[in-house]
Amino acid sequence: MALSTVNPATGKTEIIIDPHSPEEVDARIAEAHDAVQALRSTTFDQRAEWMRAAAAILDDQAEGLGELITVEMGKPIAQSVAEVHKSAKALRFYADNSAGFLADALVDDPSTVGASRAWTRYEPLGVVLAVMPWNYPLWQVIRFAAPALMAGNAGLLKHASNVPQSALFLDTLFERAGFPAGSFRTLLIGGADVGRVIADSRVKAVTLTGSEPAGRSVASIAGDHIKKAVLELGGSDPFVVLASADVVRAVEVAVRARINNNGQSCIAGKRFIVHTDVYDEFAERFTMAMAALVVGDPLDPATEVGPLATADGRADLAELVDDARARGARILTGGKSLDGAGWFYAPTVIADLPDDARLVQEEAFGPVASLYRAADNDDALRIANQTTFGLSSAVWTTDPDEQEWFVENLDAGAVFVNGMTVSYQELPFGGIKRSGFGRELAAVGQREFCNLKTVWKA
Ligand code: NAP
């Protein structure tokens, strides 16, 4: 299969890139395997220096890289440039903190285990494969690569087929920054070729960010070969607004939570569950704000919502909305693809969804918000948890008891109180239920791809 950049704002094919042959893939795995040996003799300080050099490259090239991201997947240019700087920040974060995150830890009283000294140590696993999505072409990869390389692992990237130029930029980034050749390599392959790479004995683990079907396939192949896997899959995050909430502020943040990245974010608020006491006010303000968004050319700084990344993605989203409409849901604004070139979809608010609408269970990967009226707090929680996903969540209330109750009872990998979910390198990131398993970011994300070795000394 060919990998290509097709500009989602115009529908024009910008470039077609040939995939790697099986021999080229093999050579790259061999290079990564050799790099693991080379990395063994490097220190945290050395790797940190190279990480900081990689961060400087990103910051220096932020404008050009931002434009590339926008041309490849369509997000508004300011968000693309911000993604580049955010990635640079994560590289520096792991440069600064890895030695501490992975430091040996002494057992306080070794005599209890009959030792003179006992401790634990984190060691790299070796070559780790990362299968990544197109929605944050740089950030998703960097948040894997920075902790993995700082731990002494080598990385192989199988990026989404529609962002090959971003993938090729990443192919050379770490080597340019000083890392040994092969420490990080891109494999230009399709999803069907991933299994062979996971099965290779030189590859020790795999992480995938993407859809449920892809996750199921990758995890089952990893399971067959008894290899560690981390899965970051989809989400249909609840954004709960209770009676005491500041509705004006909640609406402002709800709009951002829904349309950030043209609505194509796993942690976007997708289901807006509003207490009946404030529902009407919220629905009116939210609908007005969604209808007023500026949709258009993502390279124009005034644009707030660009196109969907692919024609298929837009068709899938339109199908979900059409299904809801056909089952009796009310479209408060939007609800249609926009005419003309590119894969634009109108920012949409849908209310009165019947239980059998696909949107109740499935993820809307685009600027489509579902509104739910909750009779009381119990009802709000019931609706929030009635999904197979469990990535993140948000709850808006000024009542400390309600805050605590929702923090305790929301089935999700994270709860943001009076805010929207954002990924920060300082905070663990990941889900439960069908949103996946394992964690990225912070110390815990770095340790996922390490061997925690216990040492006991007589
Ligand atoms: P996708 O189709 O699963 O693609 C993601 C990656 O998996 C791509 O590199 C893709 O390659 C590859 N892939 C697809 N099928 C595969 C298979 N059977 N075996 C191995 N690799 C396979 O995902 P998407 O629909 O483009 O991306 C959006 C999804 O990712 C959404 O569900 C979103 O919520 C989720 N996501 C989750 C997070 C998170 O952190 N939890 C973050 C961002 C996105 P090709 O491009 O070559 O098909």
Side-chain angles (χ1 to χ4, degrees):
M1 70 176 290
L3 313 165
S4 56
T5 300
V6 181
N7 186 334
T10 62
K12 184 173 163 257
T13 300
E14 304 275 340
I15 190 169
I16 296 176
I17 294 173
D18 286 335
H20 286 142
S21 66
E23 293 73 29
E24 283 171 309
V25 170
D26 190 63
R28 282 167 179 254
I29 298 174
E31 235 190 321
H33 181 67
D34 291 346
V36 171
Q37 311 314 317
L39 283 164
R40 274 185 180 276
S41 57
T42 61
T43 62
F44 277 114
D45 282 349
Q46 249 174 329
R47 299 197 292 273
E49 197 184 317
W50 297 330
M51 272 294 148
R52 291 190 188 99
I57 294 173
L58 293 192
D59 280 337
D60 284 352
Q61 300 189 15
E63 297 298 319
L65 272 172
E67 199 165 310
L68 173 63
I69 290 172
T70 293
V71 168
E72 289 212 295
M73 57 66 67
K75 80 178 72 181
I77 184 68
Q79 293 179 32
S80 295
V81 174
E83 179 177 336
V84 181
H85 290 305
K86 178 174 176 161
S87 300
K89 214 170 146 191
L91 293 171
R92 293 196 181 94
F93 173 78
Y94 280 103
D96 293 345
N97 292 294
S98 294
F101 289 163
L102 302 179
D104 288 0
L106 277 174
V107 169
D108 285 341
D109 182 1
S111 68
T112 55
V113 292
S116 66
R117 196 174 146 88
W119 67 100
T120 55
R121 157 165 303 176
Y122 288 100
E123 292 181 343
L125 283 185
V127 179
V128 184
L129 171 67
V131 183
M132 289 289 148
W134 45 263
N135 61 342
Y136 293 91
L138 212 57
W139 166 243
Q140 288 292 345
V141 178
I142 292 296
R143 73 192 215 173
F144 154 72
L149 268 60
M150 276 307 301
N153 293 301
L156 288 172
L157 168 67
K158 180 272 179 277
H159 217 329
S161 298
N162 56 327
V163 290
Q165 297 186 81
S166 299
L168 286 174
F169 169 81
L170 287 157
D171 183 46
T172 56
L173 173 66
F174 291 99
E175 202 170 314
R176 280 201 285 157
F179 275 89
S183 298
F184 192 87
R185 277 282 173 261
T186 287
L187 305 176
L188 295 173
I189 55 174
D193 301 317
V194 165
R196 206 169 54 80
V197 180
I198 297 172
D200 191 293
S201 61
R202 293 164 294 184
V203 174
K204 305 299 181 200
V206 59
T207 179
L208 174 134
T209 298
S211 62
E212 219 177 298
R216 189 176 297 118
S217 165
V218 160
S220 68
I221 297 168
D224 273 349
H225 295 275
I226 323 284
K227 291 185 183 177
K228 172 79 183 264
V230 167
L231 296 184
E232 297 290 357
L233 307 180
S236 190
D237 289 1
F239 188 105
V240 179
V241 182
L242 301 178
S244 68
D246 174 345
V247 174
V248 173
R249 177 85 186 121
V251 165
E252 203 182 295
V253 176
V255 172
R256 272 198 288 128
R258 183 55 291 211
I259 58 109
N260 186 41
N261 216 41
N262 302 340
Q264 303 160 118
S265 167
C266 51
I267 48 168
K270 290 174 184 137
R271 297 176 302 128
F272 297 83
I273 301 157
V274 186
H275 192 287
T276 190
D277 289 358
V278 287
Y279 179 92
D280 292 332
E281 184 190 356
F282 183 94
E284 190 185 336
R285 288 182 185 275
F286 185 57
T287 304
M288 272 173 47
M290 289 286 282
L293 289 165
V294 180
V295 181
D297 177 3
L299 287 171
D300 180 342
T303 292
E304 293 170 289
V305 183
L308 297 192
T310 64
D312 284 352
R314 183 171 74 165
D316 290 348
L317 188 70
E319 246 183 50
L320 282 179
V321 174
D322 292 347
D323 167 79
R325 188 181 358 233
R327 291 174 196 275
R330 271 190 314 132
I331 309 288
L332 303 186
T333 185
K336 58 178 191 304
S337 298
L338 299 179
D339 292 336
W343 302 305
F344 293 91
Y345 195 87
T348 297
V349 181
I350 308 185
D352 303 338
L353 283 149
D355 283 348
D356 62 352
R358 287 176 53 199
L359 259 178
V360 171
Q361 281 303 331
E362 295 181 38
E363 177 181 25
F365 218 55
V368 171
S370 308
L371 264 185
Y372 296 80
R373 184 193 291 270
D376 51 29
N377 290 357
D378 286 333
D379 196 33
L381 183 71
R382 178 191 64 77
I383 301 167
N385 286 341
Q386 71 172 4
T387 158
T388 55
F389 295 112
L391 193 52
S392 190
S393 59
V395 61
W396 283 69
T397 166
T398 52
D399 180 325
D401 292 337
E402 285 180 351
Q403 292 176 357
E404 183 51 36
W405 190 72
F406 275 88
V407 166
E408 201 169 311
N409 291 296
L410 280 165
D411 295 337
V415 183
F416 280 64
V417 181
N418 295 328
M420 63 181 262
T421 303
V422 175
S423 57
Y424 295 101
Q425 63 240 341
E426 295 85 354
L427 297 180
F429 184 105
I432 56 168
K433 294 157 80 177
R434 291 196 173 193
S435 291
F437 47 75
R439 290 292 181 268
E440 290 187 288
L441 300 174
V444 69
Q446 184 165 43
R447 294 170 183 158
E448 290 280 9
F449 295 114
C450 291
N451 170 28
L452 178 60
K453 186 176 270 180
T454 299
V455 189
W456 182 99
K457 208 168 150 183

